[in-house]
Amino acid sequence: MKKIFLDLGRQPITNSYLNSVKKKELKKEFFYKLKVSFDKKNNLVSLSNFVRPSRMFNENYAHRASMSKTMLNSFKNLSSNLIKKFKPKKILEIGSNDGVFIRNFNKDKVVAVEPCKNLANITNKMGYKTYPNFWNLNLSKKIQKKFGKVDLIFSANTISHIPNLNEVFKSIKRILKKDGVLVFEDPYILSVIKNVSYDQFYDEHAHVFSLMAVSNLISEFNLKVIDLEKLNTHGGSMRYYISHDDSKFKVKGIVKKYLSLELKYKLNKFSTYKKFGAEVKKSKTQLVKLLKKIKKSGKKIVSYGATYKSATIFNYCKIDNKLIDYVIDTTKNKQKKYTPGSHLKIFSPNKQPFKRVDYYFLGAWNFKKEIFLKEKKFISGGGKFISHVPRVKIFN
Ligand code: JHZ
């Protein structure tokens, strides 16, 4: 049974950047109630109510995974490792975004699935066969008929976005060769808890996984976790390597190690999540207090990165242009628009209204390293950063 441990209030669709803040447009804005729950049956953390996927993943999808050097490098390294390790002849990617992963493979070896048509167009134009559809059993049958079974299935930040996980794993089970491997990565619940990064909960993140939850879900389909990699990307993710129960692969020691760690942190207990819920409330109070204090002294605060994550923060903490002046983002199709719900204007970093900014709020805190390298001049000029992760703090 699902039990709610966190109420993040009324939230907009994170991808719905507004063209204007005219009354007519604001009237059309869609909101839903964001609550997060824990299911004792399989230890899975999910949203209590899922938003209809077509509301979020459509031809207006804004996020481009290639916008960050960190992700470009991460997927480049991963691709060469996967080629060395598994020598895959046929590769399927579920949720290929703008091709940040598949660009590292030969075009004739890859088939991709991407429901956002604007993104599927990009990779189809690059020469990678991309189905502009949601991953489900019917699509997997269609692909299997045309391409046969595959050696490697890859998926980054996508499986956690799909409400019906049984259908996901059932269709993966069918299309994966006997000694094939599914490699997928998504934000890791233990990192979310440790960092109080409650902004990992938003419409698209239908679930945030633990290893326990993944193991429970896949065991129904005679699949097993054979290896893991803990990643720093996206503020703490886990990469799962999964095969058929009867594959040639042995389960690596790290799997047992993480299962014990998760038990140590009591990820199988509702009380753990309830405690986290209380930490989130504290984080909200501290952040609002800090922003108010800084604004009162007449300083300028700009948010760095119009992230989907920051939609949760701004709407939960009721942050508007009285507390944050505007947002900057390098993604062209976010610029000149307004953030969902909070209605902050988004500018290109090179075309900002202010010549001098005092504080950057790290909306893209997960790219802190990359941003700090880029912003050496801002830092040496006395500029400071604010982040709520791992605790509300000013730093440089
Ligand atoms: P970033 C999206 O979430 C949505 P978001 C999705 N649901 C998901 O799971 C994750 O991605 C993976 C900008 N930026 O990646 C680029 C700069 O402006 O944290 C991006 O718009 N300057 C699929 O949106 C944003 O920040 C920079 O120097 O929370 C980062 O968004 C850098 C490094 C980034 O994901």
Side-chain angles (χ1 to χ4, degrees), residues 89-100:
K89 289 190 194 80
K90 280 186 196 171
I91 301 142
L92 162 71
E93 184 175 22
I94 304 172
S96 47
N97 196 273
D98 59 357
V100 67

Side-chain angles (χ1 to χ4, degrees), residues 38-296:
F38 171 69
D39 193 340
K40 183 81 196 88
K41 186 184 76 198
N42 50 15
N43 296 324
L44 179 65
V45 170
S46 310
L47 304 191
S48 334
N49 289 304
F50 300 125
V51 174
R52 182 161 34 92
S54 56
R55 268 199 191 277
M56 305 178 278
F57 308 109
N58 49 47
E59 64 286 357
N60 299 317
Y61 201 71
H63 177 73
R64 301 280 184 278
S66 301
M67 271 302 119
S68 133
K69 276 200 186 119
T70 314
M71 294 320 290
L72 276 169
N73 291 338
S74 164
F75 289 132
K76 197 171 173 203
N77 291 338
L78 172 67
S79 310
S80 57
N81 287 343
L82 291 175
I83 292 169
K84 262 189 236 145
K85 228 171 168 175
F86 302 114
K87 301 178 183 59
K89 289 190 194 80
K90 280 186 196 171
I91 301 142
L92 162 71
E93 184 175 22
I94 304 172
S96 47
N97 196 273
D98 59 357
V100 67
F101 174 76
I102 51 178
R103 59 193 274 159
N104 301 300
F105 292 87
N106 288 343
K107 295 184 175 89
D108 56 341
K109 286 188 170 182
V110 174
V111 55
V113 173
E114 173 51 65
C116 305
K117 294 199 172 52
N118 56 337
L119 298 173
N121 276 345
I122 296 176
T123 45
N124 271 321
K125 273 191 196 138
M126 280 161 72
Y128 292 93
K129 172 72 191 161
T130 309
Y131 287 82
N133 307 96
F134 286 101
W135 174 254
N136 58 28
L137 197 57
N138 278 343
L139 182 65
S140 83
K141 284 180 185 166
K142 191 170 155 188
I143 294 177
Q144 192 174 328
K145 217 169 163 191
K146 197 132 193 225
F147 291 89
K149 290 194 173 196
V150 298
D151 308 279
L152 175 69
I153 302 176
F154 181 69
S155 189
N157 301 303
T158 301
I159 294 200
S160 65
H161 295 53
I162 308 178
N164 187 347
L165 294 171
N166 280 339
E167 181 153 0
V168 169
F169 292 118
K170 191 176 182 184
S171 35
I172 284 173
K173 174 80 187 175
R174 282 187 93 250
I175 203 169
L176 193 64
K177 278 191 194 165
K178 169 144 190 325
D179 285 323
V181 184
L182 157 69
V183 181
F184 82 92
E185 61 190 67
D186 276 295
Y188 184 44
I189 192 71
L190 189 53
S191 304
V192 172
I193 292 176
K194 283 185 175 171
N195 289 328
V196 199
S197 47
Y198 62 90
D199 51 338
Q200 288 290 11
F201 295 112
Y202 51 87
D203 52 353
E204 294 186 6
H205 285 178
H207 321 276
V208 178
F209 298 124
S210 61
L211 168 62
M212 284 180 192
V214 169
S215 305
N216 284 333
L217 289 159
I218 63 171
S219 67
E220 280 191 39
F221 301 98
N222 301 318
L223 295 164
K224 63 180 179 188
V225 179
I226 52 169
D227 199 3
L228 294 171
E229 267 173 85
K230 176 71 184 46
L231 309 170
N232 291 327
T233 46
H234 290 295
S237 289
M238 186 63 91
R239 184 177 287 150
Y240 305 86
Y241 290 75
I242 290 170
S243 78
H244 294 286
D245 267 347
D246 56 356
S247 73
K248 65 178 182 188
F249 299 105
K250 293 226 163 67
V251 178
K252 294 236 174 104
I254 190 171
V255 179
K256 213 170 157 192
K257 194 184 120 195
Y258 267 95
L259 282 175
S260 315
L261 187 77
E262 292 189 354
L263 278 175
K264 191 181 136 207
Y265 278 94
K266 299 193 173 98
L267 296 191
N268 55 339
K269 297 263 189 288
F270 180 72
S271 57
T272 308
Y273 300 95
K274 218 177 145 193
K275 230 188 266 163
F276 166 75
E279 286 289 323
V280 173
K281 279 190 189 155
K282 214 160 80 189
S283 174
K284 170 185 177 172
T285 312
Q286 288 172 349
L287 179 63
V288 173
K289 198 172 151 196
L290 179 66
L291 296 177
K292 278 187 178 162
K293 194 175 145 203
I294 296 173
K295 281 315 279 179
K296 224 175 160 183

Side-chain angles (χ1 to χ4, degrees), residues 61 63 67-68 157 161 202 204-205 234 304-309 328-331 334 364 366-367 370-371 374:
Y61 201 71
H63 177 73
M67 271 302 119
S68 133
N157 301 303
H161 295 53
Y202 51 87
E204 294 186 6
H205 285 178
H234 290 295
Y304 205 109
T307 58
Y308 291 26
K309 291 185 289 296
I328 53 164
D329 199 291
T330 48
T331 317
K334 290 183 185 175
N366 45 313
F367 293 121
E370 185 174 334
I371 293 170
K374 233 192 228 179

